[in-house]
Amino acid sequence: MRLEAPAKLNLRLLVGPRRADGYHPLTTLMVALDGLADAVTVAPAEARRVSCPGIEGIEGPDNLAWRALDALEAEARRPLPCAVTIDKRIPAQAGLGGGSSDAAAALVGADRLHGLGLGPERLERVAARVGSDVPFFVRGGAQWAEGRGELLRPASVGPFAAVLARGDAGLSTGAVYAAFDRLPPPPPAVVAASCNRLSYGEVVAGSRNDLWGAALALAPGLGATARALAAAGADAVLLCGSGSCLAGLFPTRPDAETAAASLGLHGFCAVVEGPAAPA
Ligand code: C5P
């Protein structure tokens, strides 16, 4: 069984002060992307295997997909052996949700392979135990997310394209949130965060990522990449999640492709479109 595990973009990411459990309350608009995805295969096996051919350090128990299978076995109360193979295309530590998307694909794939029939609600509950972004990837499409990212509400977002430009170094989510805590709190949001249908213009007008200052403090080189994206005509430039990738927003793919060609960015990543339809 082969599943596409798409990357995501946070078109708006508002972050509140750290909670007692260490997490930060979010209001975020997340969209699955078309054009950048890992390929995840889930196959019958005698014992569990999680492999990422060609990539070291994220195989076996170190992979979030392994922890997803632990959580699924706990829910099903039985062993669910399978071989998960992840063909990685989404860069790691980029804020594009690659690891979380792979974990969601492993959950969905193992649920189908073993005929559990847990259904979307239970799968999302299991996903929330694995990581803040994993429930979003079980659902896909475009969603408002609140809580630490696990409380989802469907949104409708007009089509857009984005140039994704990679930062020089990856950023750890935990480190970026810790840097956020050391900075003054962001100003209150001016644009209402509850609109369910957003045109491209509304997405641009409301684009914001409260982790930008923290990511920039940890990786100052991001400033030059952001300026290059703006100079290439992006209507908005956004940090992806907790970074280190940056996204420049454009109304259409040809606009984004022209801009990407003019940029010649070091470590350029991809031109994508959104939102992708749920699988
Ligand atoms: O949930 P996940 O394991 O993806 O989160 C990784 C880290 O990011 C957490 O340990 C926490 O430090 C930080 N985080 C946060 N607030 C969130 C989501 C993540 O502080 N809403």
Side-chain angles (χ1 to χ4, degrees):
M1 188 180 323
R2 192 175 182 282
L3 297 111
E4 287 274 296
K8 58 86 179 159
L9 211 54
N10 300 78
L11 293 171
R12 195 179 306 168
L13 178 55
L14 307 180
V15 183
R18 177 186 283 266
R19 309 189 306 206
D21 66 359
Y23 284 89
H24 295 73
L26 308 179
T27 299
T28 182
L29 177 59
M30 300 173 86
V31 294
L33 297 174
D34 208 356
L36 182 62
D38 292 342
V40 177
T41 21
V42 183
E46 298 276 302
R48 189 192 301 175
R49 279 200 312 275
V50 174
S51 57
C52 294
I55 300 188
E56 281 172 25
I58 53 166
E59 299 204 309
D62 291 334
N63 196 292
L64 204 58
W66 186 282
R67 301 224 293 274
L69 294 171
D70 282 343
L72 194 65
E73 287 187 346
E75 182 75 13
R77 295 164 187 269
R78 66 176 170 98
L80 304 167
C82 57
V84 176
T85 310
I86 303 169
D87 183 1
K88 286 297 293 177
R89 296 182 197 133
I90 305 171
Q93 294 203 314
L96 295 166
S100 300
S101 192
D102 299 340
L107 280 180
V108 170
D111 173 73
R112 281 190 210 152
L113 184 72
H114 288 281
L116 300 178
L118 289 190
E121 275 176 32
R122 259 176 99 185
L123 272 181
E124 281 175 32
R125 275 208 302 279
V126 175
R129 285 175 221 138
V130 182
S132 304
D133 286 348
V134 185
F136 166 76
F137 286 109
V138 169
R139 249 197 228 193
Q143 310 283 337
W144 282 105
E146 290 187 304
R148 62 182 175 94
E150 82 286 16
L151 305 173
L152 301 175
R153 185 161 48 85
S156 156
V157 171
F160 67 89
V163 176
L164 302 181
R166 218 164 152 173
D168 285 341
L171 285 172
S172 129
T173 304
V176 173
Y177 276 102
F180 173 86
D181 293 337
R182 294 192 291 272
L183 291 172
V190 183
V191 183
S194 55
C195 181
N196 284 336
R197 286 183 164 274
L198 292 98
S199 66
Y200 174 70
E202 288 166 330
V203 164
V204 167
S207 64
R208 164 167 162 172
N209 185 335
D210 286 347
L211 296 176
W212 171 236
L216 192 60
L218 295 176
L222 288 174
T225 310
R227 285 193 294 278
L229 282 166
D235 293 317
V237 178
L238 272 168
L239 181 74
C240 301
S242 57
S244 63
C245 212
L246 287 167
L249 301 188
F250 294 84
T252 67
R253 173 176 277 274
D255 292 323
E257 279 171 351
T258 305
S262 79
L263 279 166
L265 278 168
H266 167 68
F268 163 73
C269 177
V271 171
V272 293
E273 286 173 273

